[in-house]
Amino acid sequence: MSACSSYHPVMTQRRLSESGFPIKGVYAAADLPGDLDSRLGEPGEFPYTRGVYPTMYTSRPWTMRQYAGFGTATESNARYHQLLRAGTMGLSVAFDLPTQMGYDSDDPIAHGEVGKVGVAIDSIEDMRLLFDGIPLDQVSTSMTINAPGSVLLLLYQLIAEENGVPGSALNGTIQNDILKEYIARGTYIFPPKPSLRLVADTFGYCRAEVPKWNTISISGYHMAEAGASPVQEIAFTLANGVEYVRAAIAAGLAVDDFAPRLSFFFVARTTLLEEVAKFRAARRIWARLMRDEFGAKNPKSMMLRFHTQTAGVQLTAQQPEVNLVRVAVQGLGAVLGGTQSLHTNSFDEAIALPTEKAARLALRTQQVLAYETDLTATVDPFAGSYVVEAMTAEVEAAADALMARVFEHGSAVEAIEAGFQKREIEQSAYRVAQEIDSGERVVVGLNRFAIDAEEPYEPLRVDPAIEAAQAERLVKLRAERDGGAVERALAELRETASGTGNVLHPMKTALRERATVGEVCGALREVWGQYRPTDRF
């Protein structure tokens, strides 16, 4: 007998799911919901449990979208071209913290952060460099930007128009999900009320000007990265979705005029079975909410379309190559759960920004799933599975109950004000941390199967000179532009923000005149104020 066949490591028996409900050792027909047929429906039909499209991946695979952006617009543009050559189907833009917070690179508060966690975008000139040579009418672009999401969308539209591409031909998504920023992430600018107005203004503007654009990506991903369980992730995300729908209706929009362009953003963990159940439950809950609570008639208004990113929080700096395996399992869960697009993390992201090789391997992971397996041969392969259908029902019931607790506060915003979601997530995160520290939760290479010495790794580093270079570009921009035209445009923006008009129209005028991201956001700060965590809603 070989040494390998005689070695039997002790396995930790997982008896509870990530969301806390028991997992049986064996599932049987008796575990299936009695009304399973009505809960399932057909693929592409209400309640969309089996997927939002009748053919799903049998006609075309999901969109392979790789998240990238670092340093200068020119450097990020080179990475985008490399990803497109490697076969990615969509771009996903990461912005640095000053851009996410609505500050220019030469603002004192931006010092030390320019170009660090994403690309620095200060004006239309940076946006031209970022997408130079990329056919914007042929590529789908997602932008992970929230408080100033409308500003970056308008810059994208402006450079498209300069290249003869009308807004009607643009396809993509802005995250634009401000409520989860108050819960889990913190890149907010304005208080919630004007922030919700800006979201509703974006809905209205895009319906007329950029009709194929997904105007919001309502995100559970960042809450999951902060420690939310799968049930918390979808319950809090869908509750935020309800808040956005209510805000749009209150602004005078009809539900079927904007709801088809709503999209969502979830995480994919290594706990594959529960993740598949989570995605299926989320579709079912959202379809029911849109039909029964908001009276949606258009089937597209009831479809929960979502992007998935593999779980960054589960990556380890120890033995980073093991992350390739984790990401493959996570990506598999997203595909089996029916995602519309997917970003697979690079194996080195627990250490630094991904290298070109690591980013290419992440994309190749998706390509193997799509082209070397039989995942795309049939729709919803887990339909009728004893364990997955039972888990889907468990997740659905628990998420419904948790959403009811959110709405006991009156609304998602009022629950945020009370700190409800944040407390729940923190408790979940603390439990996971305790399990890892005790060894109850195994993390391969970290608290079990560790090695004595790690192999050397050379991470991608961002040149600190970027900040000075961006500041020089801003000095040149301000010297060359028509300062009077910029100030008149900003004054019009302030006046519109003080009233009830749609702020995106004067905002676009200001950006065309080469107002900076910081100046546009600053004009709105003057009118709407700036939210601080100690503020009351």
Side-chain angles (χ1 to χ4, degrees):
M1 182 181 289
S2 71
C4 288
S5 62
S6 63
Y7 175 61
H8 300 285
V10 175
M11 301 281 295
T12 297
Q13 189 74 25
R14 181 177 293 279
R15 300 185 183 278
L16 294 178
S17 72
E18 293 292 293
S19 298
F21 57 80
I23 300 177
K24 293 185 176 184
V26 177
Y27 284 80
D31 297 303
L32 295 174
D35 56 347
L36 181 60
D37 287 347
S38 63
R39 288 181 183 233
L40 281 179
E42 294 297 323
E45 295 181 8
F46 187 91
Y48 305 103
T49 307
R50 302 196 62 194
V52 293
Y53 303 121
T55 58
M56 288 302 288
Y57 311 136
T58 62
S59 55
R60 55 161 291 182
W62 60 94
T63 299
M64 300 176 195
R65 189 186 298 282
Q66 290 303 109
Y67 184 51
F70 62 93
T72 66
T74 300
E75 289 175 296
S76 294
N77 174 263
R79 175 64 62 88
Y80 296 154
H81 280 283
Q82 174 250 318
L83 286 169
L84 290 168
R85 286 193 299 271
T88 193
M89 301 170 180
L91 301 175
S92 189
V93 183
F95 297 95
D96 70 356
L97 276 175
T99 305
Q100 293 181 49
M101 300 293 289
Y103 292 107
D104 290 332
S105 296
D106 61 354
D107 193 295
I109 203 170
H111 179 62
E113 293 294 340
V114 177
K116 286 288 180 66
V117 298
V119 62
I121 299 294
D122 291 319
S123 72
I124 192 171
E125 296 193 355
D126 290 327
M127 208 67 162
R128 289 179 186 130
L129 292 174
L130 185 64
F131 290 100
D132 183 44
I134 295 173
L136 299 186
D137 55 345
Q138 298 174 35
V139 69
S140 170
T141 301
S142 174
M143 292 186 275
T144 302
I145 193 79
N146 292 281
S150 54
V151 180
L152 276 298
L153 169 61
L154 292 170
L155 287 173
Y156 189 82
Q157 183 188 10
L158 283 167
I159 62 164
E161 290 173 348
E162 290 176 352
N163 288 280
V165 179
S168 59
L170 296 177
N171 185 15
T173 305
I174 46 170
Q175 194 162 105
N176 202 28
D177 174 13
I178 196 61
L179 292 181
K180 65 95 174 47
E181 298 296 325
Y182 302 114
I183 295 172
R185 195 159 174 269
T187 62
Y188 39 69
I189 299 176
F190 316 112
K193 186 175 180 179
S195 292
L196 286 172
R197 173 191 167 178
L198 187 54
V199 170
D201 281 359
T202 306
F203 290 177
Y205 176 87
C206 287
R207 178 173 175 257
E209 303 290 336
V210 198
K212 293 195 291 186
W213 198 266
N214 296 314
T215 51
I216 191 168
S217 180
I218 306 164
S219 176
Y221 182 87
H222 305 90
M223 290 187 273
E225 292 286 278
S229 70
V231 163
Q232 290 172 336
E233 178 191 355
I234 65 168
F236 295 153
T237 302
L238 299 185
N240 285 350
V242 167
E243 192 75 18
Y244 291 123
V245 173
R246 289 174 177 170
I249 291 171
L253 298 174
V255 66
D256 285 327
D257 285 344
F258 67 86
R261 302 316 303 172
L262 302 180
S263 64
F264 292 79
F265 177 23
F266 295 119
V267 77
R269 302 169 179 82
T270 52
T271 44
L272 186 146
L273 296 176
E274 188 178 3
E275 291 299 286
V276 173
K278 175 193 76 177
F279 296 131
R280 301 168 93 247
R283 278 194 294 269
R284 201 148 73 198
I285 295 169
W286 186 249
R288 189 176 65 244
L289 279 169
M290 295 305 292
R291 184 191 68 178
D292 298 345
E293 182 169 339
F294 295 109
K297 298 292 190 292
N298 185 345
K300 291 182 179 180
S301 298
M302 306 175 209
M303 295 178 184
L304 184 141
R305 298 171 302 112
F306 65 94
H307 171 70
T308 308
Q309 182 172 338
T310 55
V313 73
Q314 291 188 318
L315 303 183
T316 63
Q318 298 80 9
Q319 299 181 50
E321 293 85 359
V322 178
N323 294 329
L324 286 165
V325 184
R326 293 187 178 102
V327 168
V329 173
Q330 294 162 351
L332 177 61
V335 172
L336 289 169
T339 192
Q340 275 58 70
S341 61
L342 176 62
H343 164 88
T344 35
N345 288 329
S346 300
F347 75 88
D348 55 357
E349 288 192 49
I351 303 170
L353 290 168
T355 61
E356 181 177 335
K357 178 180 180 180
R360 186 172 60 250
L361 283 170
L363 176 59
R364 295 289 183 254
T365 301
Q366 294 200 50
Q367 290 166 334
V368 168
L369 289 174
Y371 301 115
E372 292 193 18
T373 74
D374 53 5
L375 288 172
T376 60
T378 188
V379 176
D380 189 25
F382 273 141
S385 158
Y386 294 157
V387 60
V388 169
E389 297 299 357
M391 278 190 164
T392 300
E394 291 259 27
V395 172
E396 179 183 12
D400 279 338
L402 187 53
M403 288 177 71
R405 291 177 63 197
V406 171
F407 296 134
E408 284 174 3
H409 291 83
S411 68
V413 167
E414 289 167 302
I416 292 168
E417 180 183 15
F420 173 70
Q421 297 97 321
K422 192 170 186 291
R423 281 195 305 273
E424 292 288 308
I425 292 170
E426 287 171 349
Q427 289 169 8
S428 175
Y430 182 61
R431 174 180 60 81
V432 171
Q434 285 183 309
E435 291 173 358
I436 293 172
D437 290 345
S438 70
E440 179 184 351
R441 178 184 294 257
V442 174
V443 181
V444 173
L446 179 65
N447 62 7
R448 193 178 295 186
F449 312 114
I451 56 178
D452 294 332
E454 296 286 343
E455 296 178 6
Y457 172 80
E458 184 59 38
L460 177 70
R461 301 188 187 279
V462 175
D463 187 349
I466 287 171
E467 186 172 330
Q470 283 294 111
E472 289 175 12
R473 285 172 55 79
L474 282 165
V475 169
K476 185 171 184 290
L477 170 80
R478 293 182 181 122
E480 293 177 349
R481 70 188 183 183
D482 184 338
V486 170
E487 187 45 53
R488 286 190 296 273
L490 292 174
E492 183 186 356
L493 174 59
R494 285 188 285 265
E495 182 179 352
T496 305
S498 300
T500 59
N502 191 312
V503 296
L504 269 73
H505 296 287
M507 193 186 291
K508 184 179 181 183
T509 301
L511 293 167
R512 184 187 290 113
E513 295 292 348
R514 298 200 287 175
T516 67
V517 171
E519 289 166 343
V520 168
C521 292
L524 294 176
R525 279 189 184 95
E526 291 177 35
V527 179
W528 291 343
Q530 180 160 330
Y531 177 73
R532 291 175 174 80
T534 54
D535 292 349
R536 307 305 291 172
F537 286 20

